Amino acid sequence: MSLLPEGCIANVISCTTPRDACRLSLVSSIFKSAAESDAVWERFLPPEYQSIISKSSPCPPSSSSPSSLLCLPSKKELFLSLCDHPILIDDGKKAFSLDKQSGKKCYMISARDLMIVWGDTPTYWRWTSLPGTRFQEVAELICVCWLEIRGKISTCILSPGTHYTAYLVFKLTAGSYGFECQPVEVSVGLVGSESRKQSVYLDAIRGRRMQYRLGRRVGLFNRSRSLGWQASLPRENDDHHPKERGDAWLEVELGDFYNAGDEDGELEMSILEVRAGDWKGGLIVQGIEIRPKQ
């Protein structure tokens, strides 16, 4: 191996993934030099990265210009910066980043870029700013009995040959209500084709507490297994219930989509609760994130 030219090793490593490149850098000094070269990390960046960066703006609270990314000393530093520090695109309506393991493109659609029924009616929704968000505004639900949120993104800006998963990124206020036991219907699919639907819960913890109290109150808690209640309780590894993110927000999975990349189309995601008719409030929506399925 030590007889191979560094350029040859770099060419082979560039056909792997960022994760593999980091592992291969431990093999030897010549592998380390090849694995950290610009020739390798340029291949891990999307072909249009310069155009994306030149039209972008920084995500709060950063104030540095994203164009300074193009002046970083190495392509590896540029890649890692785009993984750890998303940038705003499309006039601040979307956030763009890269998946650290695969280098695939990730997007978050802001609440302002979503179609929220009655979203511009102050009686039902209000727009506010919160620390720790990627966007200047988030949508806070005051009260509605008809919850309908939809988002769309063009498949041509996603990485081809990639399995994606969409997530609703949200928080619940201390006084939130209406989501304890009532699931919402979510779906992901191409516009004009049938979408796969499923039910998810947005307030899993309070829902579990309510079912526990209800079981004790009616004297049936010890029989909960036979009644099937146990199966409906949230589990940490259950994709139908929210999980806490590293940024202190919650996310719940909306569904999967495979982007072959051989045709243009629009991917649509939806969150609905329109059947029960119960009033609900206290939901804060940051956006919908689309990232490679892990």
Side-chain angles (χ1 to χ4, degrees):
M1 282 296 209
S2 61
L3 299 178
L4 289 175
E6 183 179 314
C8 177
I9 297 174
N11 190 52
V12 173
I13 295 176
S14 68
C15 296
T16 62
T17 67
R19 184 179 184 180
D20 291 331
C22 293
R23 289 173 170 175
L24 289 168
S25 66
L26 302 175
V27 172
S28 66
S29 58
I30 190 171
F31 266 70
K32 180 177 176 63
S33 178
E36 295 187 351
S37 67
D38 281 352
V40 169
W41 290 91
E42 179 101 31
R43 291 280 295 272
F44 295 150
L45 292 165
E48 72 279 23
Y49 75 90
Q50 293 188 11
S51 174
I52 293 174
I53 293 173
S54 64
K55 299 175 183 178
S56 66
S57 57
C59 277
S62 174
S63 59
S64 59
S65 172
S67 59
S68 62
L69 292 173
L70 299 175
C71 301
L72 289 173
S74 72
K75 293 297 188 291
K76 181 179 180 180
E77 288 184 59
L78 171 58
F79 176 88
L80 294 176
S81 179
L82 289 174
C83 293
D84 297 331
H85 306 289
I87 56 177
L88 295 180
I89 60 172
D90 196 13
D91 297 322
K93 297 176 182 177
K94 295 182 181 70
F96 170 84
S97 61
L98 295 177
D99 178 67
K100 189 173 288 187
Q101 294 191 32
S102 65
K104 304 289 188 177
K105 292 183 279 188
C106 309
Y107 294 90
M108 186 186 288
I109 308 171
S110 69
R112 270 295 183 192
D113 206 25
L114 301 175
M115 192 286 290
I116 302 177
V117 171
W118 294 315
D120 291 323
T121 306
T123 307
Y124 304 120
W125 290 85
R126 76 183 183 103
W127 294 89
T128 184
S129 298
L130 287 179
T133 66
R134 297 184 185 180
F135 309 102
Q136 294 193 0
E137 287 184 306
V138 295
E140 181 177 345
L141 173 61
I142 299 174
C143 65
V144 295
C145 59
W146 183 290
L147 178 68
E148 182 174 354
I149 303 172
R150 297 182 185 273
K152 294 180 180 179
I153 189 168
S154 173
T155 58
C156 68
I157 68 173
L158 301 175
S159 296
T162 304
H163 276 100
Y164 277 96
T165 304
Y167 300 86
L168 175 68
V169 181
F170 69 100
K171 281 185 176 182
L172 294 171
T173 65
S176 64
Y177 60 93
F179 298 106
E180 297 88 347
C181 294
Q182 182 62 49
V184 298
E185 182 183 271
V186 299
S187 67
V188 174
L190 288 173
V191 173
S193 63
E194 186 175 355
S195 300
R196 179 178 175 271
K197 299 177 181 179
Q198 62 178 348
S199 294
V200 301
Y201 291 85
L202 300 185
D203 194 348
I205 296 177
R206 268 184 279 193
R208 175 157 54 182
R209 289 173 181 168
M210 177 173 288
Q211 291 185 14
Y212 176 86
R213 289 197 300 268
L214 179 62
R216 290 185 63 90
R217 187 177 303 162
V218 299
L220 295 175
F221 181 74
N222 291 331
R223 296 171 54 202
S224 61
R225 288 182 180 272
S226 63
L227 292 176
W229 292 357
Q230 193 70 21
S232 67
L233 296 182
R235 299 184 302 273
E236 289 185 1
N237 61 346
D238 192 340
D239 291 336
H240 297 280
H241 296 89
K243 297 179 177 64
E244 188 168 352
R245 294 160 51 94
D247 56 8
W249 285 75
L250 298 173
E251 67 179 23
V252 68
E253 187 174 315
L254 305 180
D256 301 335
F257 167 75
Y258 179 71
N259 184 44
D262 53 0
E263 58 180 297
D264 293 342
E266 270 194 314
L267 183 66
E268 182 176 41
M269 297 130 294
S270 68
I271 300 99
L272 303 170
E273 204 298 284
V274 300
R275 295 181 179 178
D278 298 329
W279 289 93
K280 52 194 74 70
L283 173 69
I284 302 175
V285 178
Q286 182 177 179
I288 293 178
E289 186 170 53
I290 303 100
R291 64 177 189 261
K293 184 177 179 68
Q294 297 299 324

